[in-house]
Amino acid sequence: MVEEIKKVAIIFGTRPEAIKMAPVVKELKQSQNLNPVVITTAQHRELLDQVLELFQLEVDYDLDIMKPKQNLSQITIKILQQLKPLFEQEEPDLVLVHGDTTTTFTSSLAAFYAQIPIGHVEAGLRTYEKYDPFPEEMNRRLCGVLTEMHFAPTEQAKNNLLQEGIDESQVFITGNTIVDALLEIYEKDYRFSKGVINDLDLLKEKLILVTTHRRENLGQPLVNICRAIKELVVSYPQAEVVFPVHPNPKISKIVKNVLSDVPNVHLIEPLNYKEFINLMVRADIILTDSGGIQEEASSLGKPTLLLRETTERPEAIVSGSVQLVGTNKTRIVKAGLNLLHEQPITSSSSVVTDLYGDGQAAVRIRELLITYFNNINK
Ligand code: UD1
Ligand code: UDP
């Protein structure tokens, strides 16, 4: 038995961290042994707020750091400066971080400076390419060396950590919490609130869902991706593209320049997670450079072209649901047309594989935390 209630500071700042931490917050709140304190850096603002609202996540502290066009050093400094006094005030027994953003690494560094143990959710993902993805590969590796409890989503992620010399007693395979979130939010026969989506005749047209945001794709690679999308719809006019555009001006400017006036291409604002997941369910193929969407797409059995040169999620490549196509225009168009010709029009789908988890990851994390505190109390 845990003798006293332990305080766990749960920190996140961007859209995907919030989506993937929401199930963990929920589980920890239900535990009688753990007292979660929710801190958001708000590295993202609008993208984060959509998630907070959907999951009804109550935040105890909002550091509100987002400013347009700020660089990585500015994000890092603001988070470090604000977390120090907050840790002194709250004195958490453990800090829980997620994934590989600047919020992740910087929060783990602040916890290390305050000598607070760290739990890393979605630990062990690797490309072993220092600058790809940038800065995420080093964010997760740097966080990893500071971490006490590594919650690895898959066997492969665990093996990466073991090969790096992390003691097996500190690595736990939990599954990815994205599957917990997906199962909670997915709704059969969902009706969209966005006009453009309802207006598409999804039983006649093939739906291509697109997202991009990676820093290493900014500039020419993104121009190539957009030109490939244009060529795809010209070559295959029965396809409709829905592209929720990331609010980063370095993305939206290029996307709008190349794709604004292209028939059958619908550039829309980022969708809230419920709308987005249900749009994935209706999509025939997905083109993305996202991390989380690779996991969701393979959970939903959606053929996906990954617009990157590397991936830290090789499981989906091996299973065949995701193809790594990079950012070369000809390659994207060829792979896209192949899929469009092969793929029957989607009528519906639901979670079809448990490659990345079974929906119980957050429960496992809660139980592992309770065991951890029990052991250090002995
Ligand atoms: C960040 C993470 C990336 C993660 C991605 C998920 C870092 C360095 N990058 O990338 O790992 O995959 O989030 O989406 O941590 N913006 C808004 N409103 C928002 C969000 C962003 O206006 O709600 C704009 C701002 O101009 C901001 C810019 O987007 O400066 C970039 O945001 P930033 O958090 O630096 O990086 P992302 O590319 O979103
Ligand atoms: N997502 C969303 N609305 C959108 C686009 C994406 O809710 O318009 C969700 C998506 O389902 C996934 C997460 O955002 O769970 C992925 O975020 P992103 O691609 O920004 O980051 P990454 O996963 O690459 O870190």
Side-chain angles (χ1 to χ4, degrees):
M1 276 298 290
V2 170
E3 279 144 29
E4 51 180 312
I5 296 175
K6 296 292 185 180
K7 191 183 276 186
V8 179
I10 305 179
I11 309 184
F12 51 82
T14 66
R15 169 173 65 193
E17 292 167 84
I19 293 170
K20 290 168 165 182
M21 280 300 221
V24 179
V25 173
K26 195 168 142 199
E27 281 307 321
L28 264 55
K29 282 212 160 139
Q30 281 168 8
S31 161
Q32 292 176 347
N33 310 110
L34 303 171
N35 171 19
V37 176
V38 178
I39 303 173
T40 171
T41 63
Q43 179 179 331
H44 284 172
R45 187 71 276 168
E46 305 91 303
L47 294 183
L48 176 78
D49 291 346
Q50 292 182 339
V51 184
L52 299 180
E53 197 186 322
L54 176 66
F55 286 94
Q56 296 179 310
L57 280 178
E58 283 168 29
V59 169
D60 297 295
Y61 296 95
D62 187 330
L63 309 187
D64 200 21
I65 67 149
M66 198 198 96
K67 290 276 174 299
K69 294 190 189 162
Q70 64 187 349
N71 60 43
L72 296 174
S73 306
Q74 289 166 317
I75 301 176
T76 304
I77 290 163
K78 283 189 199 165
I79 297 174
L80 280 176
Q81 274 175 338
Q82 293 199 54
L83 283 181
K84 183 180 188 310
L86 194 49
F87 286 162
E88 282 164 4
Q89 180 188 323
E90 282 290 335
E91 299 186 329
D93 296 290
L94 185 133
V95 166
L96 215 49
V97 295
H98 179 280
D100 55 18
T101 70
T102 297
T103 290
T104 316
F105 164 58
T106 311
S107 304
S108 66
L109 183 60
F112 167 68
Y113 286 161
Q115 299 193 15
I116 305 167
I118 298 160
H120 186 197
V121 181
E122 200 181 86
L125 275 61
R126 299 289 185 264
T127 62
Y128 292 109
E129 296 286 339
K130 186 173 176 183
Y131 292 106
D132 198 350
F134 172 82
E136 290 81 6
E137 176 67 10
M138 294 315 286
N139 281 343
R140 55 195 172 218
R141 277 157 72 174
L142 292 165
C143 176
V145 290
L146 301 172
T147 291
E148 269 73 19
M149 299 187 80
H150 305 260
F151 301 112
T154 62
E155 186 86 39
Q156 172 71 51
K158 175 178 174 176
N159 289 339
N160 292 339
L161 292 165
L162 299 186
Q163 275 167 32
E164 289 167 25
I166 309 241
D167 196 279
E168 194 161 9
S169 64
Q170 294 180 286
V171 185
F172 312 93
I173 300 179
T174 58
N176 198 309
T177 56
I178 193 72
V179 184
D180 307 27
L182 181 62
L183 291 173
E184 183 183 334
I185 294 302
Y186 163 76
E187 204 174 283
K188 201 166 181 289
D189 302 325
Y190 180 76
R191 271 203 69 75
F192 296 96
S193 66
K194 298 272 176 209
V196 64
I197 303 172
N198 280 331
D199 292 346
L200 298 176
D201 189 346
L202 295 175
L203 294 177
K204 288 212 184 109
E205 292 134 349
K206 289 211 172 160
L207 176 65
I208 307 176
L209 179 59
V210 182
T211 78
T212 61
H213 72 80
R214 299 241 78 87
R215 271 179 160 75
E216 59 278 12
N217 280 349
L218 296 178
Q220 193 55 45
L222 184 56
V223 174
N224 298 347
I225 291 169
C226 292
R227 287 187 181 152
I229 291 164
K230 190 171 173 179
E231 200 167 315
L232 258 184
V233 283
V234 170
S235 313
Y236 197 97
Q238 313 89 296
E240 298 275 351
V241 172
V242 178
F243 189 161
V245 182
H246 191 288
N248 186 347
K250 291 181 180 162
I251 306 274
S252 50
K253 196 167 167 231
I254 294 179
V255 172
K256 285 177 187 159
N257 268 347
V258 184
L259 291 173
S260 267
D261 299 321
V262 179
N264 293 10
V265 175
H266 309 276
L267 303 181
I268 58 172
E269 297 288 309
L271 292 167
N272 88 27
Y273 186 56
K274 191 171 198 115
E275 299 262 300
F276 188 77
I277 279 301
N278 287 291
L279 190 58
M280 279 183 84
V281 166
R282 301 292 293 277
D284 296 288
I285 70 170
I286 296 172
L287 272 61
T288 190
D289 63 10
S290 164
I293 295 171
Q294 292 173 62
E295 294 151 353
E296 290 158 342
S298 31
S299 299
L300 294 166
K302 296 292 170 181
T304 300
L305 301 182
L306 186 57
L307 308 167
R308 293 176 45 180
E309 305 300 336
T310 62
T311 180
E312 57 295 279
R313 292 165 170 88
E315 300 87 352
I317 307 276
V318 173
S319 83
S321 58
V322 175
Q323 287 176 53
L324 197 62
V325 293
T327 57
N328 174 284
K329 187 182 89 169
T330 314
R331 193 163 167 212
I332 298 170
V333 174
K334 189 164 175 251
L337 286 176
N338 279 345
L339 282 182
L340 285 167
H341 287 296
E342 273 168 20
Q343 190 65 8
I345 288 182
T346 303
S347 53
S348 69
S349 62
S350 55
V351 172
V352 293
T353 75
D354 58 1
L355 198 57
Y356 288 104
D358 59 0
Q360 297 298 311
V363 175
R364 291 191 189 99
I365 291 169
R366 183 195 67 202
E367 292 307 308
L368 287 161
L369 286 171
I370 293 173
T371 308
Y372 169 81
F373 287 124
N374 278 337
N375 288 342
I376 56 173
N377 270 349
K378 274 180 192 159

